[in-house]
Amino acid sequence: MKSGSPIADLCSIERTLQIVGERWSLLVLREVLLYGHSKFGDIERSLTIAPNVLSERLATMVDAGVLEKHEYREAGSRARFSYHPTDAGRDLIIVLAALQQWGDDHNAPEGGVTVTRSLGDSPARVAIVDSSRRAHDLDDLRFSPTAAYVRAR
Amino acid sequence: MKSGSPIADLCSIERTLQIVGERWSLLVLREVLLYGHSKFGDIERSLTIAPNVLSERLATMVDAGVLEKHEYREAGSRARFSYHPTDAGRDLIIVLAALQQWGDDHNAPEGGVTVTRSLGDSPARVAIVDSSRRAHDLDDLRFSPTAAYVRAR
DNA sequence: CAGTATCCTGAACGATACTG
DNA sequence: CAGTATCGTTCAGGATACTG
């Protein structure tokens, strides 16, 4: 994704979007992280994405350290690669969960929620937590730019 | 943003991306939600975005119920509109925070983190919480598609 | 099947002129 | 200043052929 604003490189939001901000990126990640798809063809079929596009999206995410390729070989055919999240990639699941939660809460599909998030048998939500891991109200959250950052804008 | 996959309308991730998945959408929201910008010109200057593009992004987010226009009038000039988050829009702050946190954690800018998130005087993180608002490890999170959804794919 | 290479199209974007 | 309208451009994406 093209850089964008003047502070593109300083802002972590923008830097993350440079990796996963393309139209298909987060959907590819949905396939890998939520549905456990790892083979090229599985992702391709599930998304009906053009193969060159999928190839490119996978490559940029591999380059960015979000996914990694594992070689595998099925009986009688050549070596292939499957695509798996790195630890960093796995952390992006929270972005997907946040997008999903907002959609569920404010723009739910016709027939109601289609995919639920759970922790054991209780529902899971994405929230802002303090250092003792307790959730707070969104209104309590503050963003504080550093002096250097303010100067740059 | 164009629909995408075959299950575009069923998936809350995709539905949300249809609203905020364009290149500039989340950056406009950063201006409004994080930096408190509400005037057209303020956002325009801060992002150096083309006015027609900004106009369109604002319009789609107003249509989607993420932002709302408030009329205001400065002494001696005509009525203008300022743009403010709705309650639904405010909830998108968690998506921004999640993107930012990932960037901070795994792809931090050269000079270190530029904008911190805090709750009072303690740092804030985005996390998965259970019904009693306690954070859990990401590995414990499960996504469960409904039967109807599985059928559709 | 798992991709890569080519070519083409379109939509989002950029620049800019224009209006109240 | 706050937008809208127009026009040109560019790049992501779509279709498809091709290779091992």
Side-chain angles (χ1 to χ4, degrees):
Chain A
M1 171 175 258
K2 210 182 143 193
S3 294
S5 90
I7 51 151
D9 290 345
L10 287 176
C11 175
S12 283
I13 297 173
E14 290 200 54
R15 291 168 62 91
T16 303
L17 288 175
Q18 285 167 26
I19 299 172
V20 298
E22 299 291 346
R23 185 134 105 230
W24 286 104
S25 308
L26 288 166
L27 299 184
V28 172
L29 279 179
R30 178 189 69 189
E31 298 300 314
V32 176
L33 293 173
L34 269 60
Y35 302 151
H37 290 165
S38 63
K39 294 182 185 172
F40 192 94
D42 288 342
I43 303 171
E44 185 185 12
R45 261 186 311 281
S46 182
L47 292 175
T48 54
I49 182 179
N52 59 334
V53 176
L54 175 56
S55 182
E56 199 182 309
R57 287 298 84 86
L58 288 170
T60 53
M61 290 199 279
V62 168
D63 286 350
V66 169
L67 299 178
E68 56 189 14
K69 295 159 72 160
H70 293 170
E71 195 171 333
Y72 73 99
R73 178 183 301 270
E74 277 170 357
S77 37
R78 70 172 167 91
R80 302 280 159 70
F81 292 97
S82 56
Y83 300 85
H84 302 269
T86 62
D87 287 342
R90 232 177 312 269
D91 280 351
L92 281 168
I93 209 169
I94 208 163
V95 171
L96 292 176
L99 289 166
Q100 187 190 51
Q101 173 169 289
W102 191 88
D104 288 348
D105 288 351
H106 300 292
N107 189 25
E110 296 290 328
V113 169
T114 52
V115 179
T116 60
R117 297 173 304 284
S118 56
L119 289 162
D121 47 7
S122 92
R125 289 195 61 82
V126 185
I128 304 295
V129 301
D130 61 26
S131 41
S132 63
R133 300 171 64 81
R134 285 201 81 66
H136 284 244
D137 199 83
L138 220 51
D139 300 338
D140 300 334
L141 178 62
R142 293 285 170 268
F143 292 83
S144 309
T146 63
Y149 182 75
V150 172
R151 222 172 304 122
R153 334 190 256 138
Chain B
M1 172 176 259
K2 208 182 143 194
S3 293
S5 90
I7 51 151
D9 290 346
L10 287 176
C11 175
S12 282
I13 296 172
E14 289 200 54
R15 291 167 62 91
T16 303
L17 288 175
Q18 285 167 25
I19 299 172
V20 298
E22 298 292 346
R23 182 137 107 232
W24 286 104
S25 309
L26 289 166
L27 299 183
V28 172
L29 279 179
R30 178 189 69 187
E31 299 301 315
V32 176
L33 293 173
L34 269 58
Y35 303 150
H37 290 165
S38 62
K39 293 181 185 172
F40 192 94
D42 289 341
I43 303 172
E44 185 185 10
R45 262 187 310 281
S46 182
L47 292 176
T48 54
I49 181 178
N52 59 335
V53 175
L54 176 55
S55 181
E56 198 182 310
R57 287 297 84 86
L58 288 171
T60 52
M61 289 198 280
V62 168
D63 286 351
V66 169
L67 300 177
E68 57 190 12
K69 295 159 73 159
H70 293 170
E71 196 169 333
Y72 74 98
R73 179 183 300 270
E74 277 169 358
S77 38
R78 71 172 166 92
R80 302 281 158 71
F81 292 97
S82 56
Y83 299 86
H84 302 268
T86 61
D87 287 341
R90 230 176 315 266
D91 281 350
L92 281 168
I93 210 168
I94 207 163
V95 171
L96 293 176
L99 289 166
Q100 188 190 50
Q101 172 169 288
W102 192 88
D104 288 348
D105 288 351
H106 300 292
N107 188 26
E110 295 292 328
V113 168
T114 52
V115 179
T116 60
R117 297 172 304 285
S118 57
L119 289 162
D121 47 8
S122 91
R125 289 194 60 84
V126 184
I128 303 295
V129 301
D130 61 26
S131 41
S132 64
R133 300 172 64 81
R134 287 201 84 65
H136 284 244
D137 199 83
L138 219 53
D139 301 337
D140 300 334
L141 178 62
R142 292 284 170 270
F143 291 84
S144 309
T146 63
Y149 182 75
V150 173
R151 221 173 304 123
R153 334 191 257 140

